């Protein structure tokens, strides 16, 4: 028996859920830059089984898809190994589901799967939704008890680690708990948002902030997910920072850090880190046009943060931004160095940094001039108020 046959035999001995979990884990490791010899062949076989529609997204079994449905708008592909506030990695769903079925609530999970399958066969979507909602409620209650003590939390973390080595999987469990606990508050908030926000100007920022304020009063723990839903509507991810910068007393990093929605700045940096991971994968697969577009967006985000947050370089945000940009620069440098000096590389073009052109520098000076006027007016108002 050759290696291919041995591999096929081994995979067939696993349960469908285990094979799906294996695929998610292999993809997670690949997106994190970990090379696994022979992984490509295994992934190809598993994708042929689970993704016959050509989708790049993990397809869980139907019962788990109904259970995880409330998370759908908050899921991200790939496997960023950093805290990603308001979003959940799609690749952690399969191991989390296996953990629920085998360790957290094995008997109830079996009953749930049977009930869902029966109602799907009977073409009864209302009953399917009712069954899924009931099971979600049970899982939330069990998680509340499980996470009530440090000892039981560590035990649960150890059990989940049997299904994935992802450092963020357990955090995703806690995020899932918060989303499910919020019930229909997040879908209702999402339904009231504009379909797309092409121009996130002051008026639009004020409207969204008012809706966030109302949401936060009732569901404070679910706020990061509401912010993630707002980010989905934006033209580009770094515009989310406007929620903090527009509400601050000035453009200084200290004042922005004291603003009501200062948490969006780390969220923007999380998304910048996602772009770094995507750039690394694009370069590995020689997708230079994709890499070019990613790099352009990265440079725009860096410029926007530095433009709107004075003194960011001396803040914790600035330290992380610099760390990310250094890592991105190393990726680009390694790629460009593969080519002779007399051969131009698409990633080495100065056009990617449009902010460094004459027009870009003039725009920068115009913004800084506007900031100076606004800061001066704010100081004058304070002076008048003091007298």
């Amino acid at each position: 028996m050759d290696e291919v046959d041995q591999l096929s035999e081994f995979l067939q001995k696993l349960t469908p859920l285990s094979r799906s979990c294996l695929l998610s884990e292999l993809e997670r490791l690949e997106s994190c830059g970990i090379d696994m010899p022979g992984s490509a062949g295994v992934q190809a076989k598993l994708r042929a089984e689970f993704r016959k529609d050509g989708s790049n997204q993990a397809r869980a079994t139907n019962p788990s898809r109904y259970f995880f449905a409330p998370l759908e708008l908050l899921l991200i592909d790939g496997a960023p190994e950093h805290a990603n506030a308001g979003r959940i990695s799609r690749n952690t769903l399969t191991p989390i589901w296996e953990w629920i079925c085998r360790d957290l609530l094995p008997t109830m999970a079996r009953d749930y799967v049977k009930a869902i399958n029966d109602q799907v066969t009977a073409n009864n979507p209302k009953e399917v939704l009712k069954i899924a909602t009931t099971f979600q409620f049970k899982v939330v209650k069990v998680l509340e008890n499980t996470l009530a003590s440090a000892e039981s939390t560590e035990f649960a973390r150890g059990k989940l680690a049997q299904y994935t080595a992802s450092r963020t999987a357990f955090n995703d469990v806690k995020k899932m708990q918060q989303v499910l606990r919020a019930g229909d508050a997040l879908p209702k908030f999402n339904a009231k948002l504009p379909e797309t926000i092409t121009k996130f100007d002051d008026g639009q920022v004020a409207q969204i902030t008012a809706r966030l304020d109302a949401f936060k009063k009732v569901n404070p723990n679910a706020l990061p997910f509401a912010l993630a839903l707002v980010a989905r509507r934006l033209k580009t991810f770094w515009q989310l920072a406007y929620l903090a910068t527009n509400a601050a007393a000035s453009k200084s990093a200290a004042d922005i850090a004291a603003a009501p929605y200062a948490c969006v700045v780390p969220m923007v940096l999380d998304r910048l880190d996602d772009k770094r991971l995507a750039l690394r994968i694009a370069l590995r697969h020689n997708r230079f046009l994709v890499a070019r577009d990613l790099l352009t967006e990265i440079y725009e985000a860096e410029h926007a943060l530095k433009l709107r947050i004075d003194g960011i370089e001396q803040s914790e945000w600035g330290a992380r931004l610099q760390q990310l940009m250094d890592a991105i620069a190393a990726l680009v440098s390694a790629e460009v160095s593969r080519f002779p000096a007399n051969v131009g590389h698409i990633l080495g073009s100065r056009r990617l940094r449009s902010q460094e052109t004459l027009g870009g520098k003039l725009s920068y000076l115009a913004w800084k001039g506007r900031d100076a006027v606004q800061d001066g007016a704010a100081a004058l108002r304070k002076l008048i108020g003091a007298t």
Side-chain angles (χ1 to χ4, degrees):
M1 181 181 298
D2 59 24
E3 291 183 358
V4 175
D5 292 335
Q6 288 178 335
L7 175 61
S8 298
E9 183 178 344
F10 167 75
L11 292 176
Q12 289 306 312
K13 288 180 180 178
L14 301 176
T15 65
L17 194 56
S18 295
R19 291 197 296 275
S20 180
C21 189
L22 175 61
L23 175 58
S24 294
E25 186 69 0
L26 290 174
E27 289 179 332
R28 184 190 71 81
L29 292 171
E30 181 182 44
S31 68
C32 292
I34 300 174
D35 293 322
M36 298 284 289
S39 171
V42 176
Q43 290 187 51
K45 286 182 174 295
L46 294 174
R47 287 196 186 103
E49 175 182 358
F50 292 106
R51 304 179 191 171
K52 295 178 181 179
D53 62 351
S55 170
N56 288 325
Q57 300 176 352
R59 293 291 181 181
T61 56
N62 278 333
S64 67
R65 288 173 63 189
Y66 291 115
F67 176 81
F68 288 125
L71 312 182
E72 186 61 38
L73 292 178
L74 303 168
L75 296 178
I76 54 173
D77 295 318
E81 291 297 286
H82 59 74
N84 210 315
R87 298 191 296 171
I88 298 171
S89 174
R90 190 183 297 274
N91 283 346
T92 63
L93 297 190
T94 302
I96 288 173
W97 180 246
E98 188 147 348
W99 172 66
I100 291 173
C101 292
R102 294 190 178 189
D103 298 295
L104 192 68
L105 284 170
T107 302
M108 288 185 180
R110 280 197 301 271
D111 294 341
Y112 164 77
V113 170
K114 183 180 185 306
I116 284 289
N117 287 334
D118 289 345
Q119 294 306 318
V120 169
T121 302
N123 193 25
N124 192 346
K126 289 185 178 180
E127 192 64 24
V128 167
L129 178 60
K130 180 180 176 181
I131 293 169
T133 302
T134 301
F135 189 56
Q136 289 161 3
F137 178 79
K138 291 177 181 178
V139 170
V140 167
K141 287 299 181 183
V142 172
L143 283 174
E144 287 176 354
N145 293 330
T146 301
L147 304 181
S149 69
E151 183 179 358
S152 59
T153 297
E154 285 308 305
F155 180 78
R157 189 191 300 272
K159 284 291 186 180
L160 180 60
Q162 296 176 7
Y163 307 108
T164 176
S166 171
R167 297 191 302 272
T168 60
F170 196 71
N171 289 333
D172 283 347
V173 169
K174 292 189 283 187
K175 291 178 187 178
M176 175 190 75
Q177 179 189 15
Q178 292 169 340
V179 173
L180 296 180
R181 186 185 289 157
D184 61 356
L186 282 166
K188 286 181 178 179
F189 174 83
N190 186 60
K192 293 179 181 179
L193 293 175
E195 189 65 28
T196 56
I197 304 176
T198 54
K199 188 177 181 181
F200 205 31
D201 55 17
D202 292 349
Q204 192 70 266
V205 170
Q207 290 180 19
I208 297 298
T209 299
R211 289 176 180 169
L212 287 167
D213 289 343
F215 180 89
K216 184 171 61 172
K217 287 180 180 178
V218 182
N219 301 279
N221 293 331
L223 178 63
F225 308 107
L227 291 168
L229 292 175
V230 172
R232 286 175 55 89
R233 301 296 210 276
L234 298 177
K235 183 178 179 181
T236 186
F237 71 95
W238 51 260
Q239 289 179 323
L240 192 65
Y242 293 0
L243 291 170
T245 59
N246 282 31
S250 75
K251 298 297 183 183
S252 74
D255 282 341
I256 292 171
Y261 294 102
C263 61
V264 298
V265 179
M267 292 177 75
V268 170
L269 293 173
D270 285 343
R271 283 154 175 75
L272 189 60
D273 203 357
D274 291 345
K275 299 296 180 182
R276 176 188 62 82
L277 289 168
L279 177 64
R280 183 173 63 186
I281 293 172
L283 292 176
R284 179 181 298 174
H285 295 287
N286 296 322
R287 297 170 182 163
F288 299 122
L289 294 180
V290 173
R292 178 200 61 188
D293 293 342
L294 285 168
L295 200 55
T296 299
E297 193 172 11
I298 287 168
Y299 290 150
E300 287 177 352
E302 177 196 23
H303 177 71
L305 289 173
K306 289 183 175 180
L307 178 64
R308 289 184 167 269
I309 306 177
D310 289 344
I312 188 175
E313 294 84 356
Q314 287 74 48
S315 68
E316 291 185 6
W317 298 334
R320 187 180 175 199
L321 175 61
Q322 189 60 54
Q323 184 181 37
L324 288 171
M325 296 310 298
D326 287 345
I328 290 164
L331 285 173
V332 175
S333 178
E335 172 60 31
V336 172
S337 67
R338 295 196 303 117
F339 293 77
N342 61 338
V343 177
H345 194 291
I346 190 173
L347 299 187
S349 173
R350 288 180 57 85
R351 293 181 180 179
L352 297 182
R353 282 189 177 273
S354 60
Q355 304 81 13
E356 294 183 355
T357 63
L358 177 59
K361 290 178 179 178
L362 289 175
S363 296
Y364 176 85
L365 292 174
W367 267 102
K368 286 302 178 184
R370 173 184 149 179
D371 290 346
V373 171
Q374 289 178 338
D375 291 346
L380 182 59
R381 285 195 296 270
K382 287 182 180 179
L383 181 62
I384 294 174
T387 57

